[in-house]
Amino acid sequence: MATAAAAASRRLRLLARCGSLSPLLSAALARSSRGLRALCSLSTTLRSGAGEDEIERIRREFEDAKRNYLSIPAAIKDMPKMNPQGIYVNKNVKLDDLQVYGFDYDYTLSHYSEHLQCLIYDLAKKHLVNELKYPESCLKYEYDRSFPIRGLYYDKLKGCLLKLDFFGSIEPDGCFFGRRKLSLSEIKELYGTRHIGRDQARQLVGLMDVFCFSEACLIADIVQHFIDAKLEFDASYVYEDVNQSIQHVHRSGLIHRQILSDPQKFLIKKSQVFRFLKMLREKGKKLFLLTNSPFYFVDGGMRYLLEDQHFDGNSWRELFDVVIAQANKPTFYNSDHPFRVYDTQKDTLAFTAVDKFLPDQVYYHGCLKSFLQITNWRGSEVIYFGDHLFSDLRGPSKAGWRTAAVIRELEDEIEIQNGDSYRFQQAKLSIIHDLLGKVNATVVSTEKGQVYRALLDELNAERRHCRSGMRDLFNSSFGATFLTDTGRESSFAYHIHQYADIYTSKLENFLSYPPESWLHPPHDIKIMPHNAKVPASLFSTS
């Protein structure tokens, strides 16, 4: 209303100056204009006064809430809890329509102990020093399992490890330069804003699979070494060298030989996985194995994992219609590489063309185009299980396959979210967000601005306290994998939402679902179906 009056007043003055109005009319309209301004001033005063009353009301509501925090556990005790072993759905999947099941090997069919991350870290660290001539003082660093989480990004331009939210913004407590967490002011000074623009995003490298834990930790430690030594360095070189060392550990076979030399230390037996595979075979489903690992490593691991399951010799291969090793994913999905028959006895590749898959053969390399031509399996009847969102699932998703992500952290994070401590802080946070929304929507006069600011500061402090309490229940450095401290889904959750039709913590969870199940996302879920929210209305009703 004030804006309209000001505009009308300006138009009246302009007409009067131009002589377009008679003196009498000009005087009358001038009086009218003054009246409009007075009325608008009165309206603003009334709204300001009402705003001040509203601030006092919100203050009382906040004080009541603080006094009644102890009643929150009673209010949330009957809220349903999410199933840590559940299957969570982003897109409808009718299991009965799936005729072909494909599997990655590492962290999908096989699972590893924490010793593996330490081994990868140590081998890569030694490669940096012995082959790439990094200072010997780098050898003092050890893998810190409490530091990294999956789904981080490394900025090759600025040298920071970042945790991003669903919309590509840096989490306020999720930016590390070396092993030091940067403050919000430092983040804004470095990036200008928390949001990562398109040009900046080109400098980011995603660390999305479980093997990236050791890589993220080693990157941070090497950056910290240069900082402590007060040496200039190029952040992109650090990434290239660390990544080259990590790749060397895998491609040279160092890691494979170490694991097979002591499988009890590194491999975790899970008999239910193979019960699931046998159930699929009994239902007449087709199964294939598609992995980047070499055959001897997969064979040794499967033999160990199945030694207590009454499997003998090579019979684990009888579970699969097709076995493909060293597939070179994600290149597999968009290349024209031919398949080669691998001789398991001579460790050689045949030169004859592959135009059909035989159950007693092992195949190397290949591509999706040839795979579909040979098998005649239609995309909608195929589902592929993997742990790496980019290497395993992005290609199949674009090719029309159904996709399933195996995310081992999911089970632990749901257990935490189901706990009383997390739900208590989440309920408090919901109440604070509700009150903050009311405060920010309230208009107050300049004279009462101090009261408004004091309440806003108190609410923001309480919000920070709640976020910290929730964060501390997860990873001490970066918090939860799927959520940011602000309660938004993380960038990692975004990629799951984008590339995984369904996701779960481990394969054997499917044993709890009938093979003819129709999996569909809950109708009231906005983004991630496993993230249950505690509404503020629940507390106020109680």
Side-chain angles (χ1 to χ4, degrees):
M1 184 174 181
T3 303
S9 178
R10 286 195 299 271
R11 286 196 296 272
L12 290 171
R13 289 196 299 271
L14 179 60
L15 290 171
R17 286 198 300 269
C18 293
S20 300
L21 300 175
S22 68
L24 288 175
L25 184 57
S26 295
L29 288 177
R31 288 194 298 273
S32 175
S33 177
R34 288 194 296 272
L36 279 172
R37 289 198 299 271
L39 180 60
C40 289
S41 177
L42 176 61
S43 173
T44 301
T45 300
L46 289 173
R47 286 191 292 115
S48 177
E52 290 156 14
D53 291 341
E54 178 70 5
I55 289 295
E56 291 302 322
R57 191 189 67 76
I58 296 171
R59 160 69 67 184
R60 290 193 297 272
E61 192 174 343
F62 180 36
E63 296 301 329
D64 288 342
K66 287 192 289 185
R67 284 193 293 270
N68 292 314
Y69 276 164
L70 292 178
S71 67
I72 288 179
I76 63 177
K77 68 177 182 179
D78 294 326
M79 275 191 63
K81 296 185 177 182
M82 307 308 291
N83 181 8
Q85 290 83 39
I87 298 172
Y88 294 94
V89 188
N90 291 321
K91 300 174 187 175
N92 290 334
V93 175
K94 194 173 183 180
L95 295 183
D96 204 31
D97 290 343
L98 300 175
Q99 302 304 317
V100 184
Y101 284 70
F103 302 91
D104 183 31
Y105 175 69
D106 294 300
Y107 285 107
T108 301
L109 289 176
S110 63
H111 288 271
Y112 300 96
S113 69
E114 284 291 338
H115 295 294
L116 180 60
Q117 297 297 336
C118 297
L119 177 62
I120 295 172
Y121 182 98
D122 288 341
L123 292 174
K125 176 181 65 177
K126 291 175 182 176
H127 183 80
L128 281 172
V129 173
N130 297 332
E131 302 299 327
L132 301 183
K133 307 307 177 184
Y134 273 59
E136 287 193 7
S137 52
C138 291
L139 294 173
K140 70 180 180 181
Y141 293 105
E142 301 290 338
Y143 175 69
D144 179 4
R145 60 176 296 184
S146 68
F147 178 68
I149 62 171
R150 197 192 317 213
L152 299 177
Y153 291 84
Y154 178 68
D155 186 338
K156 293 191 295 181
L157 185 63
K158 297 181 171 63
C160 294
L161 273 176
L162 308 172
K163 180 182 176 183
L164 305 182
D165 68 15
F166 197 88
F167 302 100
S169 295
I170 303 171
E171 184 175 359
D173 286 325
C175 180
F176 278 75
F177 186 53
R179 296 301 293 270
R180 184 177 72 86
K181 182 189 296 183
L182 301 188
S183 66
L184 183 57
S185 61
E186 288 176 310
I187 294 173
K188 290 183 176 179
E189 181 180 350
L190 195 59
Y191 288 93
T193 174
R194 287 201 301 116
H195 184 71
I196 296 294
R198 184 173 298 178
D199 290 339
Q200 290 174 313
R202 294 190 181 99
Q203 300 296 328
L204 302 186
V205 180
L207 305 173
M208 292 293 160
D209 72 344
V210 182
F211 287 125
C212 289
F213 284 26
S214 48
E215 185 173 4
C217 191
L218 187 54
I219 287 172
D221 287 342
I222 295 299
V223 170
Q224 189 62 50
H225 176 273
F226 283 118
I227 294 170
D228 293 342
K230 295 180 172 58
L231 297 173
E232 292 187 5
F233 66 98
D234 188 310
S236 65
Y237 294 164
V238 171
Y239 170 75
E240 297 299 336
D241 290 345
V242 171
N243 182 257
Q244 177 185 332
S245 300
I246 294 287
Q247 293 301 321
H248 169 77
V249 167
H250 290 279
R251 291 172 181 169
S252 66
L254 277 173
I255 189 71
H256 302 138
R257 292 191 291 272
Q258 290 266 17
I259 292 172
L260 293 182
S261 68
D262 194 0
Q264 294 90 347
K265 180 177 181 180
F266 297 105
L267 281 165
I268 300 173
K269 291 183 178 181
K270 292 194 174 185
S271 60
Q272 295 293 79
V273 171
F274 302 100
R275 183 181 154 207
F276 171 58
L277 298 179
K278 287 195 289 185
M279 182 269 289
L280 292 175
R281 295 292 291 180
E282 291 167 359
K283 294 290 182 181
K285 307 296 184 181
K286 300 289 186 181
L287 274 65
F288 69 93
L289 175 64
L290 180 66
T291 175
N292 285 351
S293 295
F295 175 75
Y296 79 88
F297 175 64
V298 176
D299 183 54
M302 294 291 275
R303 287 170 182 259
Y304 170 74
L305 295 171
L306 286 170
E307 66 181 5
D308 301 328
Q309 304 303 312
H310 307 294
F311 277 73
D312 59 321
N314 294 330
S315 60
W316 69 265
R317 286 161 52 188
E318 297 171 5
L319 291 168
F320 299 93
D321 295 271
V322 183
V323 174
I324 303 168
Q326 288 205 329
N328 299 320
K329 296 175 293 180
T331 306
F332 176 89
Y333 298 112
N334 51 30
S335 74
D336 291 316
H337 292 164
F339 283 102
R340 305 282 297 273
V341 175
Y342 174 71
D343 189 320
T344 60
Q345 300 299 318
K346 299 179 181 178
D347 188 28
T348 58
L349 296 175
F351 294 96
T352 55
V354 175
D355 55 9
K356 60 182 177 180
F357 291 134
L358 301 176
D360 60 339
Q361 299 282 9
V362 174
Y363 300 90
Y364 265 34
H365 311 317
C367 64
L368 178 63
K369 179 181 176 181
S370 297
F371 182 85
L372 296 178
Q373 289 174 344
I374 294 171
T375 62
N376 288 319
W377 290 336
R378 293 181 293 108
S380 59
E381 66 181 7
V382 180
I383 186 169
Y384 186 69
F385 294 77
D387 71 293
H388 196 301
L389 300 180
F390 294 161
S391 295
D392 290 333
L393 303 183
R394 180 163 56 182
S397 176
K398 291 181 177 180
W401 288 2
R402 310 314 303 268
T403 53
V406 179
I407 311 296
R408 65 170 192 168
E409 302 95 312
L410 180 65
E411 187 167 334
D412 289 339
E413 294 210 355
I414 291 178
E415 292 280 11
I416 292 172
Q417 291 177 11
N418 283 341
D420 291 341
S421 297
Y422 181 87
R423 289 190 163 198
F424 177 71
Q425 295 295 342
Q426 192 184 38
K428 287 169 60 178
L429 187 60
S430 294
I431 296 167
I432 299 305
H433 280 162
D434 191 46
L435 295 174
L436 277 169
K438 294 177 182 178
V439 171
N440 289 323
T442 303
V443 178
V444 297
S445 67
T446 305
E447 292 79 6
K448 294 294 184 178
Q450 189 173 357
V451 176
Y452 167 85
R453 175 53 58 185
L455 178 57
L456 196 61
D457 289 345
E458 284 188 55
L459 288 170
N460 280 324
E462 189 73 10
R463 179 170 63 175
R464 288 192 295 271
H465 177 73
C466 292
R467 287 176 176 175
S468 176
M470 295 164 68
R471 175 194 184 85
D472 290 346
L473 296 171
F474 297 96
N475 177 278
S476 59
S477 299
F478 291 96
T481 302
F482 294 89
L483 291 170
T484 65
D485 292 350
T486 60
R488 287 179 172 178
E489 277 76 8
S490 65
S491 177
F492 180 71
Y494 167 78
H495 291 301
I496 292 179
H497 187 74
Q498 189 173 21
Y499 298 124
D501 294 340
I502 54 180
Y503 62 100
T504 190
S505 61
K506 51 185 182 287
L507 282 178
E508 52 265 41
N509 293 340
F510 279 81
L511 289 170
S512 301
Y513 292 75
E516 63 277 4
S517 296
W518 192 339
L519 307 177
H520 54 85
H523 71 279
D524 57 343
I525 294 298
K526 293 183 176 64
I527 301 180
M528 300 302 291
H530 80 274
N531 285 334
K533 303 290 193 297
V534 178
S537 57
L538 178 69
F539 175 73
S540 59
T541 300
S542 67

